[in-house]
Amino acid sequence: MLEDIKKKLLDNPDNIVHLLEKYGFANIKQHRNYISCGRDGSGSPKSIVIKTDNNQYLYVTDYPKNINKDIISYIIQEKGDDFKGVLGNIKSVLGISNFETYFHRPSVFGGFYDNIKARNTEVALHVYDESVLDQYVRLGNRKFIKDNISLNAQEYFGIRFCVSENGIVIPIRSEVGDLIAVKMRCNYDDTEQKYFYLYPGQSSKTLYGFSQNYSELTDNTVLVFESEKSVMQCYSYGIRNAVALGSGSLSQKQAQMIISLNPSKVILLHDQGYDFDAIKRNIEQLTNYSRFSSFKVGYWDWKKGKYPDKVSPSDLGKKELNRILENEINEV
């Protein structure tokens, strides 16, 4: 969907101008195939350039700082806003109240034609109102601390606690930061099913950590884990270029989201024991959607060491995770 949003901005560059105005950029001028501006009134009026032709990822080039980033990451970095804030301002300049309903509107013909169209397009995700989280206590959890998830990480990812069910509450967000599911981790271990959904959603249509870590994921190595816990552990270690599948399988949508980040490399870090044939299928799923992109792909070869069953490399701590990334990644 971020590709749709960027295309919508590029289709009418006036909207890019309005977005830059909202963030206080100065001397904004629209040319035939690019927009120029300055960081503020005191600097060069043409120090920042945004091409409006052949710029699929909507990159901003900041010449004095030697920065070349997509417009969302650039604003987050240079103006101190967060992902949700930037997307909110883009909604405002585009006159859109909800990205999901706007970009997945049914055809005016309805019925038969909608059924045909549905074979080749995504169905809009169900978005929950943020107020559903108010019933849970915003409180850090000792179990997560023991699992190498800091209080700072728990706060950043909005972890809460369900008193009635004695469970750790994990909000699941779409690629644009909307709440699409609420997952619970039991606060005890004497159960076969440790995780279940308080509010169900299509987790295969998103990557956990995508919206929260967006500015650190673009144009970078992307670490892809199985579980949400790994992304929070990485954040605790100071590693922000991580996302999670929410399972072992990489979906088409998740592959497309990874490619939309324009990564330099993608490393699949499945849990110990995960079948290598299944990892190979995930790699094929990823490369099937990367024909016009150039990046390296690697995966953790857990057979290179002796590890506990089903352990994630992030469970082992920052030092061990870095050692694995340096020594036990096979490139394909």
Side-chain angles (χ1 to χ4, degrees):
M1 187 190 300
L2 282 179
E3 291 179 345
D4 297 321
I5 293 168
K6 291 174 183 178
K7 184 178 184 303
K8 185 72 175 172
L9 287 169
L10 285 166
D11 284 346
N12 185 356
D14 286 345
N15 290 323
I16 300 174
V17 171
H18 296 327
L19 182 64
L20 295 172
E21 288 173 343
K22 277 183 174 289
Y23 283 99
F25 290 95
N27 301 307
I28 305 167
K29 290 188 178 180
Q30 189 172 337
H31 308 271
R32 186 175 64 84
N33 57 2
Y34 70 96
I35 295 168
S36 64
C37 65
R39 186 170 291 101
D40 51 47
S42 60
S44 168
K46 292 185 177 181
S47 60
I48 299 166
V49 171
I50 303 171
K51 290 173 59 180
T52 51
D53 289 342
N54 301 316
N55 190 7
Q56 176 186 353
Y57 295 107
L58 194 45
Y59 270 57
V60 177
T61 301
D62 185 327
Y63 289 103
K65 290 191 173 184
N66 194 27
I67 295 172
N68 191 38
K69 279 182 170 288
D70 87 292
I71 195 166
I72 299 171
S73 298
Y74 179 73
I75 291 173
I76 291 171
Q77 176 179 307
E78 295 300 308
K79 295 298 182 177
D81 204 350
D82 58 17
F83 183 84
K84 187 176 180 180
V86 177
L87 267 290
N89 278 319
I90 291 175
K91 281 182 184 178
S92 176
V93 300
L94 294 179
I96 294 173
S97 60
N98 185 299
F99 286 131
E100 282 293 336
T101 55
Y102 182 84
F103 287 109
H104 299 104
R105 289 175 294 182
S107 163
V108 293
F109 298 104
F112 175 74
Y113 292 101
D114 277 341
N115 290 333
I116 295 174
K117 186 180 178 183
R119 298 174 191 170
N120 299 310
T121 59
E122 292 180 46
V123 176
L125 292 170
H126 176 73
V127 175
Y128 293 100
D129 192 277
E130 293 289 330
S131 63
V132 304
L133 296 174
D134 293 343
Q135 62 191 296
Y136 309 115
V137 183
R138 188 140 193 178
L139 192 67
N141 184 270
R142 289 182 180 178
K143 173 175 280 299
F144 267 15
I145 292 175
K146 291 178 181 178
D147 284 341
N148 296 328
I149 300 173
S150 68
L151 286 174
N152 187 34
Q154 294 183 49
E155 173 68 21
Y156 183 74
F157 288 96
I159 299 303
R160 299 178 182 238
F161 191 78
C162 179
V163 177
S164 62
E165 297 288 344
N166 189 19
I168 305 165
V169 177
I170 306 170
I172 307 295
R173 299 191 176 277
S174 71
E175 66 178 301
V176 295
D178 290 332
L179 183 68
I180 60 168
V182 181
K183 200 171 186 178
M184 193 184 89
R185 201 289 185 198
C186 297
N187 197 36
Y188 45 87
D189 291 321
D190 56 340
T191 178
E192 291 185 6
Q193 185 178 356
K194 294 180 181 180
Y195 290 90
F196 63 90
Y197 283 96
L198 296 166
Y199 289 85
Q202 295 176 281
S203 294
S204 65
K205 300 291 187 181
T206 192
L207 290 163
Y208 186 80
F210 184 92
S211 63
Q212 295 95 329
N213 287 340
Y214 184 79
S215 62
E216 300 295 327
L217 291 166
T218 54
D219 309 299
N220 201 354
T221 296
V222 178
L223 308 179
V224 183
F225 295 88
E226 286 190 43
S227 74
E228 298 86 0
K229 187 172 72 168
S230 292
V231 176
M232 291 183 270
Q233 288 169 331
C234 284
Y235 185 92
S236 304
Y237 305 150
I239 299 170
R240 296 288 302 277
N241 56 320
V243 294
L245 304 174
S247 69
S249 298
L250 177 74
S251 70
Q252 292 181 10
K253 174 61 178 176
Q254 289 170 332
Q256 291 166 350
M257 288 175 64
I258 291 170
I259 292 163
S260 75
L261 296 167
N262 195 29
S264 56
K265 186 174 184 178
V266 178
I267 301 176
L268 301 181
L269 293 155
H270 289 78
D271 293 353
Q272 186 279 342
Y274 196 77
D275 184 70
F276 284 115
D277 286 338
I279 294 174
K280 183 179 178 182
R281 287 193 293 272
N282 284 343
I283 292 170
E284 289 173 350
Q285 177 82 284
L286 183 63
T287 54
N288 282 342
Y289 286 92
S290 61
R291 294 172 185 172
F292 301 104
S293 301
S294 178
F295 57 86
K296 297 178 181 178
V297 179
Y299 66 92
W300 179 35
D301 185 355
W302 45 264
K303 287 186 177 180
K304 290 184 176 180
K306 293 183 179 180
Y307 300 100
D309 289 346
K310 298 182 179 180
V311 72
S312 167
S314 62
D315 289 332
L316 302 169
K318 179 179 181 179
K319 184 177 179 180
E320 185 67 5
L321 173 59
N322 284 331
R323 187 195 66 78
I324 286 170
L325 291 172
E326 290 175 6
N327 299 289
E328 296 183 1
I329 303 303
N330 290 344
E331 286 195 4
V332 295

